[in-house]
């Protein structure tokens, strides 16, 4: 089930981004699929917990291919597909390595590794894909707002996921201690 959630969340993030206009609040611009990107880091961490780092890298590769194919089929330009693939690969591998090395409770590992992964994903995708370097969807003046908007949303999703994982862990610990 973890693998399915991970792969489906990545596909849905692409579909939602293509289907809905970006969310604009104040000066920030956030593609709607960003709401799921924070969750993909959490699902990947859950996959890694169950199957280990080696199998997780195999799944990151599968997810990367699925994401690129879906993005292309939905009409994204090659520069957007490329930017998405580069940011995905960099963010997911960095998240995996940080998550693997932290010696903290799972909820904090999920949060901290996701912060770094989300940061890299946002910066790399916006600069390579959306700025004048890439598809030129955003002028340079809008790039910081796009990056910060995505970072805020991903951080909130990571924080909520970490809180849920912490609560679930507490409930499970209480059940085990009662038995």
């Amino acid at each position: 089930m973890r693998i399915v959630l991970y792969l489906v969340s990545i596909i849905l993030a692409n579909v939602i981004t293509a289907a809905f206009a970006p969310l604009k609040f104040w000066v920030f611009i956030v593609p709607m699929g960003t709401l799921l990107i924070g969750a993909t880091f959490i699902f990947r961490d859950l996959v890694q917990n169950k199957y280990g780092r080696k199998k997780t890298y195999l799944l990151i590769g599968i997810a990367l291919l699925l994401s690129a194919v879906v993005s292309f089929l939905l009409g994204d330009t090659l520069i957007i597909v490329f930017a998405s693939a580069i940011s995905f690969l960099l963010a997911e591998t960095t998240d995996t390595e940080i998550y693997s090395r932290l010696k903290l409770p799972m909820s904090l590992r999920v949060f901290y590794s996701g912060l770094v992964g989300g940061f890299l994903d946002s910066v790399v995708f916006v600069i390579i894909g959306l700025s004048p370097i890439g598809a030129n969807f955003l002028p340079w003046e809008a790039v910081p707002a796009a990056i910060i908007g995505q970072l805020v949303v991903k951080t909130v999703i990571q924080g909520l996921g970490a809180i849920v994982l912490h609560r679930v862990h507490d409930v499970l610990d209480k059940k085990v201690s009662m038995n």
Side-chain angles (χ1 to χ4, degrees):
M1 186 64 161
R2 296 169 194 220
I3 293 171
V4 171
L5 285 172
Y6 175 60
L7 296 175
V8 168
S9 66
I10 291 165
I11 292 167
L12 282 176
N14 282 311
V15 171
I16 290 169
T17 297
F20 298 98
L23 176 65
K24 294 178 183 179
F25 58 97
W26 194 40
V27 298
F28 303 113
I29 305 162
V30 181
M32 293 302 283
T34 303
L35 297 169
L36 279 175
I37 297 301
T40 65
F41 291 121
I42 296 166
F43 294 143
R44 195 216 32 80
D45 292 338
L46 293 172
V47 166
Q48 185 174 347
N49 265 5
K50 183 159 184 155
Y51 300 104
R53 196 164 68 183
K54 193 174 192 177
K55 189 164 187 178
T56 298
Y57 275 114
L58 173 66
L59 289 166
I60 289 171
I62 292 167
L64 175 67
L65 289 172
L66 280 172
S67 179
V69 168
V70 169
S71 180
F72 183 74
L73 291 174
L74 290 169
D76 286 336
T77 63
L78 287 179
I79 190 69
I80 294 294
V81 173
F82 175 74
S84 179
I86 294 297
S87 64
F88 180 86
L89 188 60
L90 183 62
E92 290 286 326
T93 56
T94 301
D95 184 293
T96 299
E97 291 305 314
I98 290 171
Y99 183 83
S100 297
R101 287 169 171 73
L102 289 176
K103 303 298 181 216
L104 297 169
M106 182 182 175
S107 58
L108 292 176
R109 290 170 39 206
V110 164
F111 184 69
Y112 293 140
S113 64
L115 282 179
V116 177
F119 174 79
L120 291 171
D121 185 60
S122 300
V123 170
V124 172
F125 179 73
V126 171
I127 291 174
I128 294 176
L130 304 179
S131 77
I133 290 174
N136 200 23
F137 288 137
L138 297 174
W140 283 115
E141 306 81 56
V143 166
I147 292 170
I148 292 168
Q150 287 188 36
L151 259 173
V152 167
V153 170
K154 290 172 188 171
T155 300
V156 167
I157 299 298
Q158 286 294 129
L160 292 172
I163 290 168
V164 168
L165 288 171
H166 181 74
R167 297 280 187 223
V168 167
H169 190 264
D170 283 350
V171 168
L172 293 175
D173 279 351
K174 286 179 185 173
K175 283 185 179 181
V176 167
S177 66
M178 295 171 95
N179 292 332

